[in-house]
Amino acid sequence: MKLRWGLALVGVLGALLVAPASASAAPVVTRCEFTPTPDNPAARPVVRPLPFALTRGTVDVTFRFNYGPVTVRLNRAGAAPCAVHNMVSLILQRFYDRSQCWRLSNSARLGVLQCGDIYEVEKGGPGYKFPDEVSGTETYPRGTVAMGNQGPGTNGSEFFIVHSFANIPANYSVLGRVVRGMEALDHMVADGIIPTDPNGPLDGAPAHPVKIQRASLGW
């Protein structure tokens, strides 16, 4: 665990060293607040991310599902750099490896795959939370990857991938977009949904279990 903290610190310090000297230049890092949740302890052993995040560039991550790989381009320069920083930290700590995506929806309002909960839907997070990062102008078209939550300021490990569209309020921090592998999501949807009350007949567990075998940086 100490090694991961050290590597993260070296990376951020390196970015600071190459930052422009101009006082008017946009900041290279931003402060983040990761608050422990003792009433909701970590489902797997992880350390909280360092309390600052890079605000420039992108980073690619690949989720290797049992349906095939899905690569996501996370945007550090977007509205949610702390959420991106958090996801990278959890991936480096193997939090998502060998986990299951418990929810799939395909209704006229919501078409998403929800992942990141270790035990079941909305249960089994990293043992901390952090604030929402939204501008109020967010939209969620096909391919969008965003944080899931259970109310304001409850972000942790849960995220969703939009396979069609999501007509929802701009309350969910957008991390980035899928750049490879949407056909895997389409295959999951085609295999069907086991409906779960009270969400309706097109919202529930994937008919064929969807599992993240491994998540890693890069392709």
Side-chain angles (χ1 to χ4, degrees):
M1 296 300 182
K2 290 182 179 178
L3 177 60
R4 293 191 184 101
W5 277 76
L7 290 174
L9 182 58
V10 168
V12 172
L13 290 176
L16 288 172
L17 289 174
V18 299
S22 171
S24 62
V28 177
V29 297
T30 189
R31 292 284 302 178
C32 302
E33 183 179 353
F34 299 103
T35 306
T37 54
D39 293 337
N40 186 18
R44 291 179 172 175
V46 291
V47 296
R48 282 177 287 155
L50 293 171
F52 39 80
L54 295 171
T55 60
R56 295 184 185 176
T58 60
V59 57
D60 291 346
V61 303
T62 297
F63 294 95
R64 301 189 185 281
F65 291 97
N66 54 324
Y67 278 83
V70 175
T71 300
V72 176
R73 185 153 293 155
L74 305 178
N75 185 14
R76 290 187 172 115
C82 293
V84 171
H85 176 52
N86 173 71
M87 178 169 277
V88 169
S89 173
L90 290 174
I91 288 173
L92 288 173
Q93 296 183 75
R94 304 297 184 197
F95 184 86
Y96 295 118
D97 291 7
R98 300 176 306 281
S99 65
Q100 190 161 336
C101 299
W102 303 101
R103 183 185 181 193
L104 181 64
S105 64
N106 191 30
S107 68
R109 184 185 76 89
L110 188 66
V112 305
L113 174 71
Q114 183 175 307
C115 306
D117 300 307
I118 301 304
Y119 301 138
E120 58 182 88
V121 175
E122 299 185 350
K123 291 185 179 180
Y128 59 82
K129 63 182 179 179
F130 60 96
D132 303 321
E133 297 170 281
V134 293
S135 66
T137 62
E138 283 78 9
T139 58
Y140 306 93
R142 175 174 165 88
T144 300
V145 181
M147 294 300 299
N149 61 52
Q150 290 83 58
T154 59
N155 300 286
S157 57
E158 184 184 295
F159 66 95
F160 61 86
I161 304 174
V162 182
H163 62 75
S164 58
F165 49 80
N167 296 321
I168 54 178
N171 296 335
Y172 304 91
S173 305
V174 173
L175 295 156
R177 293 187 56 79
V178 173
V179 295
R180 181 186 69 159
M182 282 302 299
E183 64 275 8
L185 275 293
D186 295 336
H187 189 181
M188 297 171 198
V189 175
D191 277 353
I193 297 169
I194 301 171
T196 305
D197 256 346
N199 297 318
L202 295 175
D203 195 331
H208 180 75
V210 174
K211 299 181 181 181
I212 299 174
Q213 297 167 333
R214 183 179 178 186
S216 58
L217 301 188
W219 287 60

